Amino acid sequence: DNCLPNAQFPIMLAPEAVPLSQQKPFLQLSMHQSKTIPGVPVSIYQYASFLMQKLKLCVEEKIMIRILASLAEFAEREKTLLGFEDVDNDGSDLIKLTTDHLYPIPESSVSKMFFSFLQLHPIAIDISLELSSELRYQYMSDSGLGFNPLKWIRNAAGTAIDIDEAPIRLNSLTIEDAYGNTSTLLVPIIKHYTSQVIREAYKVLGSLEILGNPVQLVGNLGEGVVDFFYEPAMGLVSSPQDFGRGLAKGTTSLLKHTVTGLFGAASKVTGKIAEGIAVLGMDEDFQRRARMDARKPPRHLGEGLVEGGKSVVMGVYRGLTGIVTDPYHGYRLQGVRGLFKGIGTGVLGIALKPTAGTISAASKVLQGVGNTATCCDEVYENDRARCPRYIGSDRILRPYNAMDAVMAANLRLYKIKDLAFSKEDKEAEIYITSFQPTQGNLIVSDLRLLMLPSSTSGFKGLFVRKRPKAIFSVLWEDVKGFTYIANTVIIQNKRKEPLQLKVATEAEAKDLCSELGNFIPIYAGGSRRGKLGGRISDSLKKLDLFSSSRRRK
């Protein structure tokens, strides 16, 4: 699993998803070893076979950089302890281990092996690659104006390098009467798979999404053509009735794969163009939402039209509101420099964001048309083994807690809607703990109290298309205090009417009231709200409170 928040590929490495009735052991190793002759240092294997099921490898640039950074940090810490030295004197992170610290490897009593028959079955891997514009975005402010135009364009072009399920197929290898030590036996195996990888390298280039993934297109068309001839031929050898059924089945398969392949390729091209234009708008949140939506393809034409309409509306909305919000968030983050940068991105967004939304809508419609042909087919997908681990602000790794992991993930999904907070403040919100009163789940963060319905308790609830609405969300700076009456905890609100939490017993209400009260001195003292945004937010809240009171009257 990929445990980074907002991961494009939640699962990095997994076997191909198949029905439960067709599942087989992922790794199969069969060996037949003869008895070792005393005094002869040779292990004799009459038969050895290795089989691995089809794999799906999904790599994100973000997780790879995090892994490499962790390895570099670990190597830096271990340098002094283990006697590591810099290879170069230019600050390179490459290191080597001095010979004084090499540990001797004991030789095995059996140094040679003989395989009468060694078989390595074919290996099938589908590789996907997703580059992250967010990581490169932070390096675009090299010039005094706030960004480098060349890197700005290169960042947008980087979205064209994404790869979608490149089918790498490595042929089997059979060796008879193989004799030697481990290194000798590995030479032909490494040579075989190296040549196979080089032979399959063109499929990686042919799986670029900006090109429409021609490898996948040809594969779909080829499968349809094969079925068109194969199914009637198989029916013909049986009976005229089976020939008719085979002809119908083959024709249906040809039409289905043709529609899916052609419209799928067109949707990939338009989708990548839309992502590139979104990157030019320099709005990270807009880019992130566009990528997340791209990973949820519509299941049929109707859904494609609905999702396409949403993309157009969102593009126009973000383009218009960006004129105000981009300068405001830029000023809060970088002062006057950020203000001018925000004005520039806001002006760019007026044209780029609606354009990106319109092209994305076309991609959604094309995807919907292509997927309509297979909307009734049963689809199998791998699921996460568990929710990504929650690591607190102290960065200490603790035993896995399923409830904390789910609640922290929910906190990221239910963002603060208060205009007084910048995007950076909302992204930096820290999960503290959670409680489970009878109404649902109460999440405590460093900024607010968030009450969610009970349906958000499970791990599966994070992946529903339509999330339930939050029961309430109150900022710590608006909390006046906590009291309880019987089994009800009352949250005294400075701006609105008191909020209520029901628990099972009065004793639980007293304990919950005490625990929540302990957070007030820590989180309710300061305020991170912007002055201008705070005034606008306060005005909207007063208007909402006045409207609700009139409705009650």
PDB file of all heavy atoms in Angstrom, residues 209-232:
ATOM      1  N   GLU A 209       0.275   8.241 -21.747  1.00  0.00           N
ATOM      2  CA  GLU A 209      -1.128   8.655 -21.828  1.00  0.00           C
ATOM      3  C   GLU A 209      -1.328   9.799 -22.807  1.00  0.00           C
ATOM      4  O   GLU A 209      -2.396   9.918 -23.415  1.00  0.00           O
ATOM      5  CB  GLU A 209      -1.629   9.054 -20.436  1.00  0.00           C
ATOM      6  CG  GLU A 209      -1.764   7.876 -19.481  1.00  0.00           C
ATOM      7  CD  GLU A 209      -2.532   8.244 -18.226  1.00  0.00           C
ATOM      8  OE1 GLU A 209      -2.924   9.411 -18.089  1.00  0.00           O
ATOM      9  OE2 GLU A 209      -2.743   7.356 -17.388  1.00  0.00           O
ATOM     10  N   ILE A 210      -0.339  10.668 -22.974  1.00  0.00           N
ATOM     11  CA  ILE A 210      -0.485  11.784 -23.898  1.00  0.00           C
ATOM     12  C   ILE A 210      -0.614  11.289 -25.334  1.00  0.00           C
ATOM     13  O   ILE A 210      -1.176  11.983 -26.201  1.00  0.00           O
ATOM     14  CB  ILE A 210       0.719  12.762 -23.756  1.00  0.00           C
ATOM     15  CG1 ILE A 210       0.462  14.061 -24.516  1.00  0.00           C
ATOM     16  CG2 ILE A 210       1.991  12.085 -24.234  1.00  0.00           C
ATOM     17  CD1 ILE A 210      -0.726  14.843 -24.045  1.00  0.00           C
ATOM     18  N   LEU A 211      -0.108  10.081 -25.618  1.00  0.00           N
ATOM     19  CA  LEU A 211      -0.249   9.485 -26.951  1.00  0.00           C
ATOM     20  C   LEU A 211      -1.514   8.654 -27.070  1.00  0.00           C
ATOM     21  O   LEU A 211      -1.785   8.080 -28.122  1.00  0.00           O
ATOM     22  CB  LEU A 211       0.978   8.608 -27.273  1.00  0.00           C
ATOM     23  CG  LEU A 211       2.350   9.301 -27.237  1.00  0.00           C
ATOM     24  CD1 LEU A 211       3.446   8.296 -27.521  1.00  0.00           C
ATOM     25  CD2 LEU A 211       2.391  10.448 -28.239  1.00  0.00           C
ATOM     26  N   GLY A 212      -2.278   8.561 -25.985  1.00  0.00           N
ATOM     27  CA  GLY A 212      -3.488   7.754 -26.015  1.00  0.00           C
ATOM     28  C   GLY A 212      -3.250   6.298 -25.692  1.00  0.00           C
ATOM     29  O   GLY A 212      -4.131   5.456 -25.921  1.00  0.00           O
ATOM     30  N   ASN A 213      -2.043   5.966 -25.179  1.00  0.00           N
ATOM     31  CA  ASN A 213      -1.685   4.581 -24.857  1.00  0.00           C
ATOM     32  C   ASN A 213      -1.924   3.666 -26.051  1.00  0.00           C
ATOM     33  O   ASN A 213      -2.796   2.781 -26.026  1.00  0.00           O
ATOM     34  CB  ASN A 213      -2.488   4.094 -23.642  1.00  0.00           C
ATOM     35  CG  ASN A 213      -1.871   2.875 -22.978  1.00  0.00           C
ATOM     36  OD1 ASN A 213      -1.125   2.135 -23.612  1.00  0.00           O
ATOM     37  ND2 ASN A 213      -2.172   2.668 -21.716  1.00  0.00           N
ATOM     38  N   PRO A 214      -1.149   3.845 -27.154  1.00  0.00           N
ATOM     39  CA  PRO A 214      -1.362   3.020 -28.348  1.00  0.00           C
ATOM     40  C   PRO A 214      -1.172   1.529 -28.111  1.00  0.00           C
ATOM     41  O   PRO A 214      -1.795   0.717 -28.800  1.00  0.00           O
ATOM     42  CB  PRO A 214      -0.328   3.570 -29.339  1.00  0.00           C
ATOM     43  CG  PRO A 214       0.666   4.312 -28.512  1.00  0.00           C
ATOM     44  CD  PRO A 214      -0.076   4.832 -27.340  1.00  0.00           C
ATOM     45  N   VAL A 215      -0.312   1.153 -27.164  1.00  0.00           N
ATOM     46  CA  VAL A 215      -0.133  -0.270 -26.881  1.00  0.00           C
ATOM     47  C   VAL A 215      -1.442  -0.885 -26.379  1.00  0.00           C
ATOM     48  O   VAL A 215      -1.856  -1.967 -26.814  1.00  0.00           O
ATOM     49  CB  VAL A 215       0.990  -0.476 -25.842  1.00  0.00           C
ATOM     50  CG1 VAL A 215       1.034  -1.927 -25.373  1.00  0.00           C
ATOM     51  CG2 VAL A 215       2.335  -0.080 -26.432  1.00  0.00           C
ATOM     52  N   GLN A 216      -2.119  -0.185 -25.459  1.00  0.00           N
ATOM     53  CA  GLN A 216      -3.399  -0.677 -24.954  1.00  0.00           C
ATOM     54  C   GLN A 216      -4.464  -0.660 -26.045  1.00  0.00           C
ATOM     55  O   GLN A 216      -5.298  -1.569 -26.127  1.00  0.00           O
ATOM     56  CB  GLN A 216      -3.837   0.188 -23.774  1.00  0.00           C
ATOM     57  CG  GLN A 216      -4.986  -0.391 -22.966  1.00  0.00           C
ATOM     58  CD  GLN A 216      -5.320   0.478 -21.766  1.00  0.00           C
ATOM     59  OE1 GLN A 216      -5.882   1.559 -21.908  1.00  0.00           O
ATOM     60  NE2 GLN A 216      -4.950   0.014 -20.580  1.00  0.00           N
ATOM     61  N   LEU A 217      -4.436   0.362 -26.899  1.00  0.00           N
ATOM     62  CA  LEU A 217      -5.394   0.449 -28.008  1.00  0.00           C
ATOM     63  C   LEU A 217      -5.235  -0.731 -28.955  1.00  0.00           C
ATOM     64  O   LEU A 217      -6.218  -1.391 -29.309  1.00  0.00           O
ATOM     65  CB  LEU A 217      -5.192   1.769 -28.756  1.00  0.00           C
ATOM     66  CG  LEU A 217      -5.976   1.943 -30.063  1.00  0.00           C
ATOM     67  CD1 LEU A 217      -7.466   1.882 -29.807  1.00  0.00           C
ATOM     68  CD2 LEU A 217      -5.594   3.247 -30.751  1.00  0.00           C
ATOM     69  N   VAL A 218      -3.997  -1.009 -29.352  1.00  0.00           N
ATOM     70  CA  VAL A 218      -3.755  -2.141 -30.253  1.00  0.00           C
ATOM     71  C   VAL A 218      -4.134  -3.454 -29.579  1.00  0.00           C
ATOM     72  O   VAL A 218      -4.697  -4.358 -30.213  1.00  0.00           O
ATOM     73  CB  VAL A 218      -2.272  -2.153 -30.689  1.00  0.00           C
ATOM     74  CG1 VAL A 218      -1.946  -3.421 -31.467  1.00  0.00           C
ATOM     75  CG2 VAL A 218      -1.965  -0.927 -31.532  1.00  0.00           C
ATOM     76  N   GLY A 219      -3.856  -3.559 -28.287  1.00  0.00           N
ATOM     77  CA  GLY A 219      -4.227  -4.780 -27.573  1.00  0.00           C
ATOM     78  C   GLY A 219      -5.727  -4.993 -27.546  1.00  0.00           C
ATOM     79  O   GLY A 219      -6.212  -6.121 -27.758  1.00  0.00           O
ATOM     80  N   ASN A 220      -6.496  -3.921 -27.301  1.00  0.00           N
ATOM     81  CA  ASN A 220      -7.959  -4.040 -27.295  1.00  0.00           C
ATOM     82  C   ASN A 220      -8.491  -4.430 -28.672  1.00  0.00           C
ATOM     83  O   ASN A 220      -9.338  -5.325 -28.795  1.00  0.00           O
ATOM     84  CB  ASN A 220      -8.590  -2.708 -26.857  1.00  0.00           C
ATOM     85  CG  ASN A 220      -8.602  -2.552 -25.352  1.00  0.00           C
ATOM     86  OD1 ASN A 220      -8.753  -3.521 -24.619  1.00  0.00           O
ATOM     87  ND2 ASN A 220      -8.412  -1.343 -24.875  1.00  0.00           N
ATOM     88  N   LEU A 221      -7.999  -3.742 -29.714  1.00  0.00           N
ATOM     89  CA  LEU A 221      -8.458  -4.059 -31.064  1.00  0.00           C
ATOM     90  C   LEU A 221      -8.066  -5.475 -31.457  1.00  0.00           C
ATOM     91  O   LEU A 221      -8.861  -6.208 -32.062  1.00  0.00           O
ATOM     92  CB  LEU A 221      -7.871  -3.047 -32.063  1.00  0.00           C
ATOM     93  CG  LEU A 221      -8.320  -1.583 -31.895  1.00  0.00           C
ATOM     94  CD1 LEU A 221      -7.615  -0.693 -32.903  1.00  0.00           C
ATOM     95  CD2 LEU A 221      -9.829  -1.472 -32.057  1.00  0.00           C
ATOM     96  N   GLY A 222      -6.839  -5.868 -31.094  1.00  0.00           N
ATOM     97  CA  GLY A 222      -6.392  -7.222 -31.427  1.00  0.00           C
ATOM     98  C   GLY A 222      -7.215  -8.292 -30.747  1.00  0.00           C
ATOM     99  O   GLY A 222      -7.569  -9.315 -31.362  1.00  0.00           O
ATOM    100  N   GLU A 223      -7.549  -8.070 -29.478  1.00  0.00           N
ATOM    101  CA  GLU A 223      -8.376  -9.045 -28.757  1.00  0.00           C
ATOM    102  C   GLU A 223      -9.758  -9.162 -29.374  1.00  0.00           C
ATOM    103  O   GLU A 223     -10.307 -10.270 -29.500  1.00  0.00           O
ATOM    104  CB  GLU A 223      -8.489  -8.630 -27.293  1.00  0.00           C
ATOM    105  CG  GLU A 223      -9.131  -9.685 -26.409  1.00  0.00           C
ATOM    106  CD  GLU A 223      -9.098  -9.307 -24.941  1.00  0.00           C
ATOM    107  OE1 GLU A 223      -8.386  -8.338 -24.593  1.00  0.00           O
ATOM    108  OE2 GLU A 223      -9.793  -9.974 -24.140  1.00  0.00           O
ATOM    109  N   GLY A 224     -10.313  -8.031 -29.816  1.00  0.00           N
ATOM    110  CA  GLY A 224     -11.622  -8.076 -30.461  1.00  0.00           C
ATOM    111  C   GLY A 224     -11.593  -8.813 -31.783  1.00  0.00           C
ATOM    112  O   GLY A 224     -12.501  -9.604 -32.090  1.00  0.00           O
ATOM    113  N   VAL A 225     -10.547  -8.574 -32.577  1.00  0.00           N
ATOM    114  CA  VAL A 225     -10.420  -9.254 -33.876  1.00  0.00           C
ATOM    115  C   VAL A 225     -10.229 -10.761 -33.681  1.00  0.00           C
ATOM    116  O   VAL A 225     -10.824 -11.580 -34.404  1.00  0.00           O
ATOM    117  CB  VAL A 225      -9.246  -8.645 -34.684  1.00  0.00           C
ATOM    118  CG1 VAL A 225      -8.963  -9.474 -35.931  1.00  0.00           C
ATOM    119  CG2 VAL A 225      -9.562  -7.209 -35.074  1.00  0.00           C
ATOM    120  N   VAL A 226      -9.410 -11.141 -32.719  1.00  0.00           N
ATOM    121  CA  VAL A 226      -9.197 -12.565 -32.452  1.00  0.00           C
ATOM    122  C   VAL A 226     -10.509 -13.242 -32.052  1.00  0.00           C
ATOM    123  O   VAL A 226     -10.839 -14.330 -32.555  1.00  0.00           O
ATOM    124  CB  VAL A 226      -8.132 -12.743 -31.353  1.00  0.00           C
ATOM    125  CG1 VAL A 226      -8.089 -14.196 -30.884  1.00  0.00           C
ATOM    126  CG2 VAL A 226      -6.764 -12.319 -31.862  1.00  0.00           C
ATOM    127  N   ASP A 227     -11.261 -12.611 -31.171  1.00  0.00           N
ATOM    128  CA  ASP A 227     -12.548 -13.191 -30.771  1.00  0.00           C
ATOM    129  C   ASP A 227     -13.519 -13.280 -31.940  1.00  0.00           C
ATOM    130  O   ASP A 227     -14.324 -14.220 -32.026  1.00  0.00           O
ATOM    131  CB  ASP A 227     -13.175 -12.347 -29.650  1.00  0.00           C
ATOM    132  CG  ASP A 227     -12.444 -12.492 -28.334  1.00  0.00           C
ATOM    133  OD1 ASP A 227     -11.647 -13.436 -28.206  1.00  0.00           O
ATOM    134  OD2 ASP A 227     -12.644 -11.647 -27.433  1.00  0.00           O
ATOM    135  N   PHE A 228     -13.463 -12.310 -32.856  1.00  0.00           N
ATOM    136  CA  PHE A 228     -14.381 -12.288 -33.993  1.00  0.00           C
ATOM    137  C   PHE A 228     -14.193 -13.520 -34.883  1.00  0.00           C
ATOM    138  O   PHE A 228     -15.156 -14.047 -35.449  1.00  0.00           O
ATOM    139  CB  PHE A 228     -14.159 -11.006 -34.791  1.00  0.00           C
ATOM    140  CG  PHE A 228     -15.049 -10.873 -35.987  1.00  0.00           C
ATOM    141  CD1 PHE A 228     -16.401 -10.601 -35.848  1.00  0.00           C
ATOM    142  CD2 PHE A 228     -14.529 -11.043 -37.265  1.00  0.00           C
ATOM    143  CE1 PHE A 228     -17.228 -10.496 -36.958  1.00  0.00           C
ATOM    144  CE2 PHE A 228     -15.347 -10.940 -38.377  1.00  0.00           C
ATOM    145  CZ  PHE A 228     -16.696 -10.659 -38.228  1.00  0.00           C
ATOM    146  N   PHE A 229     -12.944 -13.994 -35.010  1.00  0.00           N
ATOM    147  CA  PHE A 229     -12.692 -15.174 -35.839  1.00  0.00           C
ATOM    148  C   PHE A 229     -12.670 -16.459 -35.006  1.00  0.00           C
ATOM    149  O   PHE A 229     -13.097 -17.523 -35.479  1.00  0.00           O
ATOM    150  CB  PHE A 229     -11.351 -15.029 -36.575  1.00  0.00           C
ATOM    151  CG  PHE A 229     -11.384 -13.983 -37.652  1.00  0.00           C
ATOM    152  CD1 PHE A 229     -10.855 -12.724 -37.451  1.00  0.00           C
ATOM    153  CD2 PHE A 229     -11.956 -14.263 -38.895  1.00  0.00           C
ATOM    154  CE1 PHE A 229     -10.890 -11.762 -38.441  1.00  0.00           C
ATOM    155  CE2 PHE A 229     -11.992 -13.308 -39.904  1.00  0.00           C
ATOM    156  CZ  PHE A 229     -11.457 -12.051 -39.675  1.00  0.00           C
ATOM    157  N   TYR A 230     -12.179 -16.371 -33.784  1.00  0.00           N
ATOM    158  CA  TYR A 230     -11.991 -17.572 -32.971  1.00  0.00           C
ATOM    159  C   TYR A 230     -13.325 -18.154 -32.486  1.00  0.00           C
ATOM    160  O   TYR A 230     -13.533 -19.378 -32.572  1.00  0.00           O
ATOM    161  CB  TYR A 230     -11.096 -17.247 -31.774  1.00  0.00           C
ATOM    162  CG  TYR A 230     -10.856 -18.410 -30.851  1.00  0.00           C
ATOM    163  CD1 TYR A 230      -9.954 -19.413 -31.167  1.00  0.00           C
ATOM    164  CD2 TYR A 230     -11.551 -18.508 -29.638  1.00  0.00           C
ATOM    165  CE1 TYR A 230      -9.740 -20.479 -30.316  1.00  0.00           C
ATOM    166  CE2 TYR A 230     -11.349 -19.566 -28.773  1.00  0.00           C
ATOM    167  CZ  TYR A 230     -10.445 -20.549 -29.122  1.00  0.00           C
ATOM    168  OH  TYR A 230     -10.250 -21.609 -28.283  1.00  0.00           O
ATOM    169  N   GLU A 231     -14.232 -17.328 -31.985  1.00  0.00           N
ATOM    170  CA  GLU A 231     -15.487 -17.820 -31.427  1.00  0.00           C
ATOM    171  C   GLU A 231     -16.348 -18.545 -32.470  1.00  0.00           C
ATOM    172  O   GLU A 231     -16.852 -19.642 -32.203  1.00  0.00           O
ATOM    173  CB  GLU A 231     -16.269 -16.666 -30.794  1.00  0.00           C
ATOM    174  CG  GLU A 231     -15.608 -16.031 -29.580  1.00  0.00           C
ATOM    175  CD  GLU A 231     -15.514 -16.980 -28.401  1.00  0.00           C
ATOM    176  OE1 GLU A 231     -16.244 -17.996 -28.391  1.00  0.00           O
ATOM    177  OE2 GLU A 231     -14.700 -16.724 -27.496  1.00  0.00           O
ATOM    178  N   PRO A 232     -16.554 -17.977 -33.694  1.00  0.00           N
ATOM    179  CA  PRO A 232     -17.315 -18.744 -34.700  1.00  0.00           C
ATOM    180  C   PRO A 232     -16.615 -20.038 -35.114  1.00  0.00           C
ATOM    181  O   PRO A 232     -17.279 -21.054 -35.367  1.00  0.00           O
ATOM    182  CB  PRO A 232     -17.416 -17.764 -35.872  1.00  0.00           C
ATOM    183  CG  PRO A 232     -17.235 -16.414 -35.278  1.00  0.00           C
ATOM    184  CD  PRO A 232     -16.273 -16.611 -34.152  1.00  0.00           C
TER     185      PRO A 232
END
